[in-house]
Amino acid sequence: MKVKSLAAKRLKHNVRFQALQLLVEIDWHDQYSNVLLNRALSQTELKPVDQGLLVNLVYGSIQHRLTLDFYLEPFIKGKKLESWIRTLLRMTVYQMLYLERIPDHAAINEAVNIAKLNGHAGLAGLVNGVLRNFRRQELRSLDTVTDPVEALSIQYSIAPWIVALLQKQYDQARLATLLASLNQRPRLTARIQAHPNERDQILAQLTAAGYQVEVGNLSPYAIESLDGRILESPAFQAGRLTIQDESSMLVAPIGRPVAGQRLLDACSAPGGKATHMAYLLEAGHLDALDISQAKLDLVAGHMDRLGLSQQEGLTMSLHATNALDFMPPSGTLYDIIYLDAPCSGLGLMRRKPEIKYTKQASDIEALSKLQSQLLDHVASLLKPGGTLVYSTCTLAQAENQDQVKAFLARQADFQLSPIGSEEVLGASVLTADGMIEVLPQDYLTDGFFIARMTKSA
């Protein structure tokens, strides 16, 4: 999207124009919504209320993209539209359909003004005509879609192949609840860098200081930020809190680390789980791996901010390497290995809604092969009697339960170590055979999977 100098000047503080620029990068240039939004919010001069609208416009327009296109299609059929104009129309229709506090005429006028300043009078007329026609006519009915998978795809704005995949895994009622939950706004949660017994004290301090917070329901380490301001808090600045989704807070404790052990975090970035492992270990050694040095630098930064780099008795080594090539530098095997494997990320569709459109069915097949290779390799680095924790942030059972079953069939010296109900607050996330499957609608967290296995002594 080329930004004209007039538009840059006149629309510098216009929240919709800023949202449009971010959406163009996400819609047409494969950028990540959370990365662009975090960067924009760290640099913006917008007022807090406009920052909230910016987030809402970006996430909402992406989350409902297929639904918006379905409703818009009759009004733009046969018209040659520049990509940024198509995105502008989507964003405006999103406001008209989903944001009750914004009058339709205000949303339309803003869009027309943007089209005029960053385009020309002709574009402004086109945008005005499309949107006013859209406003006057009834919404196109989903009843015209006869294919049930396509109908769900449009209704919940999710790629048909993902709908078909989930349809095979869950009954109709559960599927509808899951798909609807993906269009909710993601929560911001923080993990206390302290014993769970201290959570109420930290929560009380945050509340007294004016922050809107409440305890999480899935992890005893979780605090939810209702107003999104927890990063500004003294507790965060002092290293008593770190941002992490509540479902992923379950991973480190499942390994049951104790002081003096050697741990391996085979796919470590951005470091949320690694810092939790290090905190629980207290004293011992942690090797953390990531293929990207830049991402590994983020892990190091988190370790420093939380005071783990200076913790007496705890040593850590960060290795920028492919986990498939890694061998322990000292030749010593590990007591616990955590493999948070590369995956399709289908559990993150609320937090990274563009995943719903960019991922392909072929990605799961390719990633499943990589996961198998990683499991087999790290298994060779584990001590007899050691623990292997496998986790992903996907909903695809081919990458989760099926992957674990295939691994156990290949590796006769490994057994599933069932996770007990006393190890999780939400016992409903436990499968019948003792693995953890968190669905996005269960606790409004990311979708997540965890399995624990042990190696024969």
Side-chain angles (χ1 to χ4, degrees), residues 438-453:
V438 186
L439 298 182
Q441 73 270 27
D442 291 341
Y443 294 92
L444 299 183
T445 68
D446 294 340
F448 219 83
F449 173 82
I450 310 171
R452 181 174 62 206
M453 294 162 279

Side-chain angles (χ1 to χ4, degrees), residues 351-396:
R351 193 174 307 280
K352 300 178 180 179
E354 60 274 9
I355 287 175
K356 298 193 290 182
Y357 321 114
T358 57
K359 291 295 180 181
Q360 304 293 327
S362 57
D363 294 334
I364 290 182
E365 182 178 354
L367 286 162
S368 294
K369 292 179 180 178
L370 175 59
Q371 292 154 4
S372 297
Q373 294 170 344
L374 286 167
L375 276 166
D376 288 342
H377 178 64
V378 299
S380 69
L381 309 181
L382 189 66
K383 288 181 180 179
T387 298
L388 172 59
V389 178
Y390 175 76
S391 61
T392 73
C393 55
T394 183
L395 303 175

Side-chain angles (χ1 to χ4, degrees), residues 264 289 323 326-328 332-335 337 376-383 455:
L264 173 64
L289 318 180
F326 177 77
M327 296 299 291
T332 305
L333 300 180
Y334 295 96
D335 297 285
I337 295 177
D376 288 342
H377 178 64
V378 299
S380 69
L381 309 181
L382 189 66
K383 288 181 180 179
K455 192 173 186 177

